[in-house]
Amino acid sequence: MAQRNIIDVELLTEHLGYAPISLLDSVINNVNAVADKTLDRVEQGLSRAPPKNLGFEKAFKQQKKPPPDANAEDMAKLEIIDGVHKLETLLCAAIDKNFDKYELYVMQNILGIQPGHRNWMRLAHYDGLDFSAGAHEDAPTRESVDALRKKLQASQRLNVMLHAEQAKNAALLSKLKSVVGAKPPGARTSLGAAGELKVDVVDDKAPFQFLHNKGDLTESDAKTPITTTTAFNLSQLQALRALSTSLRNIMPDLKGPSTIEDAPEKNKSWRRERLEYVEGETRKHLESVRGLELSKDGA
């Protein structure tokens, strides 16, 4: 029964364009709004009326022991507030009770579908549709749709990874350009007379700035590889000499104190090293197993 009600609600929602219960909610909300306005007007009318016209002054005088600080106006105000509150409670209870019945009646008799008519109904926007097309061999299935969804997700993950790799490579490229003293990313480059791209050197103190000194390489081409290679070597010769000189100046500081002392040890042949290893292991065996105490010479 519950399944049938759900199907009926879905069918009516598709036909009307909104849920049937929303229509009833709108009616009930409008009734509640009218009831609230009515109660406000009643309270305003009673509050503006003089207590004498409402009979509060006569009732106040008939009291045997009225409070010393009380008067007819205060008594009228309290009675009006209490009376309006009671009226609101009774009115809301009556509205809820009667509109619950109204909702049940409308959902069962007006906004309902008879069980015998359910299978014979066709909505207007279903006219002309061929429902047998789903039985075609090339029709998508749940498995094929899931496979396409997985491919899409994999493509999206790959796209994210490629963008991250691109950003990483761009950062590395900018660092390399700073090492060779080239322009930072985004700077304009100029074209030479032959249409070749010129890279302007910004930092003359870059470690590999000398690579921009091409010498006669611009006058050579691939047809003369020996000339090109020689020109490149000659262009880098001054920089290599400067680096060699700086390394020679640094070498004495790099040598540790143990380098000179261990020089004879490093000149030992492999036979000598093997002999010393065998003698050392033999000494350990005699001292630990046999209990002998040997001198430095093995005596």
Side-chain angles (χ1 to χ4, degrees):
M1 186 65 181
Q3 184 68 22
R4 291 182 179 179
N5 292 335
I6 294 174
I7 295 174
D8 293 346
V9 171
E10 292 178 352
L11 185 61
L12 290 172
T13 302
E14 187 175 358
H15 173 64
L16 299 174
Y18 54 86
I21 194 65
S22 62
L23 176 62
L24 299 176
D25 292 339
S26 178
V27 173
I28 295 173
N29 291 334
N30 291 331
V31 172
N32 290 329
V34 173
D36 292 338
K37 290 182 180 180
T38 303
L39 291 172
D40 292 339
R41 295 297 176 85
V42 170
E43 185 176 3
Q44 291 176 4
L46 293 176
S47 300
R48 292 175 182 176
K52 183 178 180 180
N53 296 340
L54 298 176
F56 288 105
E57 186 174 354
K58 183 178 180 181
F60 181 75
K61 292 179 179 180
Q62 291 178 356
Q63 289 184 355
K64 296 181 179 180
K65 294 181 179 180
D69 298 336
N71 52 29
E73 294 181 357
D74 295 338
M75 181 180 177
K77 185 176 181 180
L78 294 175
E79 289 293 336
I80 290 171
I81 293 175
D82 186 52
V84 170
H85 177 68
K86 292 179 180 179
L87 178 62
E88 181 181 4
T89 303
L90 294 174
L91 184 60
C92 291
I95 290 174
D96 293 339
K97 180 180 179 180
N98 290 283
F99 273 90
D100 286 342
K101 297 178 181 179
Y102 169 76
E103 181 178 353
L104 293 174
Y105 177 81
V106 171
M107 293 299 295
Q108 291 180 0
N109 299 282
I110 300 177
L111 296 178
I113 300 175
Q114 298 298 327
H117 300 163
R118 186 182 298 110
N119 297 329
W120 301 97
M121 295 180 63
R122 174 179 290 184
L123 300 180
H125 55 275
Y126 285 163
D127 291 340
L129 296 180
D130 186 10
F131 293 97
S132 62
H136 197 268
E137 295 180 356
D138 298 334
T141 59
R142 184 181 296 274
E143 290 77 10
S144 62
V145 173
D146 291 339
L148 290 176
R149 185 182 294 108
K150 291 180 180 179
K151 289 182 180 180
L152 177 61
Q153 293 174 354
S155 301
Q156 291 176 348
R157 287 195 296 269
L158 179 60
N159 188 19
V160 172
M161 294 173 61
L162 291 177
H163 277 85
E165 188 68 21
Q166 182 182 7
K168 183 179 178 181
N169 293 337
L172 180 60
L173 186 60
S174 63
K175 291 181 180 179
L176 292 176
K177 287 183 178 180
S178 63
V179 170
V180 298
K183 280 187 176 182
R188 294 184 177 180
T189 56
S190 58
L191 294 176
E196 61 180 0
L197 187 64
K198 289 185 177 181
V199 180
D200 296 335
V201 179
V202 177
D203 189 5
D204 295 336
K205 297 181 180 180
F208 297 99
Q209 185 271 337
F210 63 89
L211 294 176
H212 295 287
N213 186 13
K214 298 180 181 179
D216 298 334
L217 290 177
T218 56
E219 301 177 359
S220 304
D221 53 7
K223 296 180 180 179
T224 56
I226 297 178
T227 305
T228 304
T229 305
T230 305
F232 176 76
N233 292 334
L234 292 176
S235 64
Q236 307 301 324
L237 188 58
Q238 296 297 331
L240 292 175
R241 286 178 179 175
L243 291 175
S244 178
T245 303
S246 62
L247 288 175
R248 287 177 182 175
N249 296 331
I250 296 174
M251 281 297 295
D253 298 334
L254 296 178
K255 292 182 179 180
S258 61
T259 305
I260 301 175
E261 297 177 359
D262 297 340
E265 298 292 335
K266 294 183 179 179
N267 295 329
K268 293 180 180 179
S269 63
W270 65 272
R271 295 180 182 274
R272 180 64 180 173
E273 292 178 356
R274 181 175 179 79
L275 179 61
E276 291 180 356
Y277 173 76
V278 173
E279 290 180 355
E281 294 298 324
T282 304
R283 177 187 292 274
K284 290 180 182 179
H285 175 73
L286 293 176
E287 291 178 351
S288 60
V289 178
R290 301 297 178 88
L292 299 178
E293 295 182 359
L294 301 178
S295 62
K296 183 177 181 181
D297 297 333

